[in-house]
Amino acid sequence: MAPSLDRQGYWGRPTSTLDWCEENYVVSFYIAEFWNTVSNLIMILPPLWGAVQTYHHGLEFRYICSFLGLAAVGVGSWCFHMTLLYEMQLLDELPMIYSTCVFVYCVYECFKRENSVGWFPIVLLLIFSVTVTAVYLQWKEPVFHQVMYGALVACLVARSVFVVTWVYPWLRPLCYTSLCVFLLGFLLWNIDNIFCDSLRASRQTLPPGVGVVTQFHAWWHIFTGLGSYLHILLSLQIRSTYLKCRPKIKFVCGIWPTLHIEPQKTG
């Protein structure tokens, strides 16, 4: 993105291979892209709570890793957008690959016996992660990372749609909600990239409170964070249903979805 309107701030000149459409150091001298930074809270706080709840219910460790992986992406993205340093960019982008590999493992291993370990998919996904990391460290091309991430997401979507189509059709609303929310974020990400010059120009004339709404990369964080969180809930519900744990979606304060595992009836 052309940084002609950007200012200098605490972290100095950006060294990352990407500089997004939000003007740098406009809101805070210490945060390069303020809205792109704080929007990551949705990928940090709810997943941490989800990991605690998953541990509390005694569910499999892989789902704790899923929530913590999403939180790691949020932390990495926070650091990246706050500093626009190349090292922090890697802290954002590489965990996207690793956490999605965990998601893929969970949804492809959902019909195995409890606490089983599928070594073949683990090795396959580990080889994929190491290869992507090695290539990306040498070939600093963001499109390569985006294509590899997109391939993982495609595998995730294909498996999820298969399960809710042929095995648990009553989970279609959760599956398609997760997918649609994620795709909405992806749409806004593309609009932010393609129409950046127009968006920046519009922010010069709009009131500050209205201009914030045009920070579409921040909306990408919000919608993809929510979509990813909903996918983990879907994966958990598929697995819990298969293990006959009687899962149920409940809403905290009537707003935020969480998975509640009802105790087994006895007698």
Side-chain angles (χ1 to χ4, degrees):
M1 305 304 173
S4 57
L5 300 177
D6 294 336
R7 305 173 184 176
Q8 293 299 309
Y10 179 81
W11 301 99
R13 185 178 181 84
T15 59
S16 58
T17 60
L18 292 168
D19 190 351
W20 302 99
C21 193
E22 181 179 354
E23 297 83 353
N24 297 344
Y25 296 106
V26 171
V27 177
S28 171
F29 176 76
Y30 298 98
I31 301 178
E33 297 176 345
F34 182 83
W35 300 110
N36 287 351
T37 298
V38 299
S39 57
N40 285 292
L41 285 173
I42 196 172
M43 282 193 283
I44 300 174
L45 300 181
L48 289 177
W49 174 250
V52 171
Q53 289 295 98
T54 301
Y55 175 80
H56 172 74
H57 288 305
L59 302 177
E60 291 166 311
F61 181 67
R62 68 188 72 172
Y63 294 102
I64 298 176
C65 291
S66 293
F67 281 119
L68 293 180
L70 181 57
V73 173
V75 171
S77 184
W78 178 292
C79 295
F80 171 34
H81 290 287
M82 181 175 68
T83 66
L84 290 180
L85 299 178
Y86 175 68
E87 294 79 7
M88 298 299 104
Q89 179 181 352
L90 294 178
L91 192 64
D92 171 21
E93 293 176 328
L94 292 178
M96 291 173 64
I97 298 294
Y98 307 150
S99 62
T100 308
C101 282
V102 177
F103 299 167
V104 169
Y105 175 80
C106 288
V107 79
Y108 276 86
E109 291 288 299
C110 59
F111 299 128
K112 301 295 178 65
R113 75 182 193 287
E114 189 172 6
N115 294 317
S116 64
V117 178
W119 290 110
F120 178 74
I122 288 177
V123 171
L124 194 64
L125 290 167
L126 185 60
I127 292 173
F128 179 84
S129 299
V130 171
T131 302
V132 170
T133 301
V135 172
Y136 194 45
L137 289 176
Q138 295 297 319
W139 184 34
K140 301 175 182 179
E141 173 53 63
V143 174
F144 169 75
H145 168 267
Q146 292 160 11
V147 170
M148 294 299 99
Y149 176 67
L152 284 173
V153 172
C155 293
L156 203 61
V157 170
R159 175 63 170 177
S160 301
V161 170
F162 171 82
V163 171
V164 302
T165 300
W166 300 104
V167 186
Y168 297 141
W170 61 88
L171 292 180
R172 287 176 187 171
L174 180 57
C175 177
Y176 294 145
T177 299
S178 169
L179 179 59
C180 289
V181 168
F182 191 95
L183 289 177
L184 176 58
F186 181 63
L187 173 64
L188 295 177
W189 181 83
N190 280 282
I191 292 174
D192 191 73
N193 291 339
I194 296 170
F195 300 104
C196 179
D197 291 339
S198 299
L199 290 170
R200 284 192 163 198
S202 69
R203 291 176 197 142
Q204 302 303 308
T205 59
L206 292 172
V210 179
V212 169
V213 180
T214 68
Q215 300 289 356
F216 290 150
H217 193 88
W219 286 110
W220 147 262
H221 290 159
I222 292 170
F223 286 119
T224 55
L226 175 57
S228 298
Y229 178 89
L230 291 175
H231 170 79
I232 298 175
L233 289 189
L234 171 67
S235 182
L236 257 172
Q237 194 161 23
I238 292 170
R239 181 64 171 160
S240 300
T241 300
Y242 177 75
L243 296 176
K244 298 179 173 57
C245 293
R246 302 177 65 215
K248 184 177 181 181
I249 299 292
K250 290 191 173 183
F251 291 85
V252 177
C253 299
I255 300 174
W256 192 260
T258 60
L259 189 68
H260 178 75
I261 304 297
E262 296 182 1
Q264 294 282 358
K265 293 182 179 179
T266 59

